[in-house]
Amino acid sequence: MTSSTASAAGEYLSFTLGHEHYGVDILKVQEIRGYDAVTRLPDAPEYIKGVINLRGTIVPVIDLRLKLRLAEARYDSFTVMIVLNVDERVVGIVVDSVSDVVPLAEDQVRATPEFGAAVDTRFIAGIGTLDEKMLILLDIETLLDSADLTDVTTLDVAA
């Protein structure tokens, strides 16, 4: 785990889901937008809110609260969409609010604790410690690497 912890050092865009703080590698972030209406897709999993047309690119939108099986998402004036570049795909994730960009040194990143089979921690790159605050660092490629997402990005929405 040491190599993944060391590679987890860097700058992270921090955001909140409920009362928890999360971080995503700033190099994956394309832009931050207010939450817009999305075009719902039939028979899509609950966490896939739909798609938006972002300057000619059809972008799937994932509600991260639902994807992570957290409490039901509430949409208000603070709700934000983070547009990410993940494995040469553009994906939007809906979060409660965006905080700021946080630089983390190697000594501020801890390995993900082992919980056994009870908790799936594959998509957690580590835990960032910043003063008294902990930041759950997401491995966004692993989190969003699902057959569902591949199906959505290959849809021909215009048809």
Side-chain angles (χ1 to χ4, degrees):
M1 276 237 179
T2 351
S3 63
S4 67
T5 303
S7 66
E11 291 190 324
Y12 290 84
L13 177 66
S14 68
F15 58 89
T16 59
L17 292 172
H19 300 294
E20 300 303 326
H21 297 273
Y22 292 81
V24 64
D25 186 343
I26 193 69
L27 299 176
K28 307 280 183 210
V29 176
Q30 178 175 311
E31 65 182 270
I32 300 167
R33 314 166 42 94
Y35 180 71
D36 295 334
V38 297
T39 302
R40 188 88 177 113
L41 299 173
D43 202 30
E46 185 69 23
Y47 63 87
I48 297 180
K49 298 310 287 181
V51 293
I52 60 168
N53 184 339
L54 183 65
R55 295 181 291 282
T57 303
I58 301 303
V59 177
V61 177
I62 311 268
D63 187 316
L64 215 51
R65 265 187 181 242
L66 298 176
K67 176 73 175 161
L68 297 175
R69 294 192 298 270
L70 301 174
E72 185 64 35
R74 223 180 40 241
Y75 297 91
D76 58 27
S77 59
F78 296 105
T79 304
V80 177
M81 184 184 313
I82 303 171
V83 179
L84 303 168
N85 279 307
V86 181
D87 291 332
E88 299 177 18
R89 292 182 298 193
V90 180
V91 179
I93 59 171
V94 179
V95 300
D96 292 346
S97 66
V98 169
S99 304
D100 50 10
V101 177
V102 178
L104 292 176
E106 284 184 41
D107 64 341
Q108 292 176 292
V109 179
R110 305 282 183 265
T112 307
E114 292 298 324
F115 293 100
V119 178
D120 184 1
T121 58
R122 289 175 302 160
F123 55 83
I124 300 176
I127 306 292
T129 56
L130 197 64
D131 302 320
E132 295 299 311
K133 187 166 81 172
M134 290 202 322
L135 203 60
I136 300 167
L137 306 176
L138 296 178
D139 176 348
I140 206 72
E141 284 91 352
T142 303
L143 180 63
L144 299 180
D145 183 28
S146 68
D148 298 330
L149 191 57
T150 304
D151 293 346
V152 171
T153 56
T154 57
L155 281 177
D156 183 4
V157 179

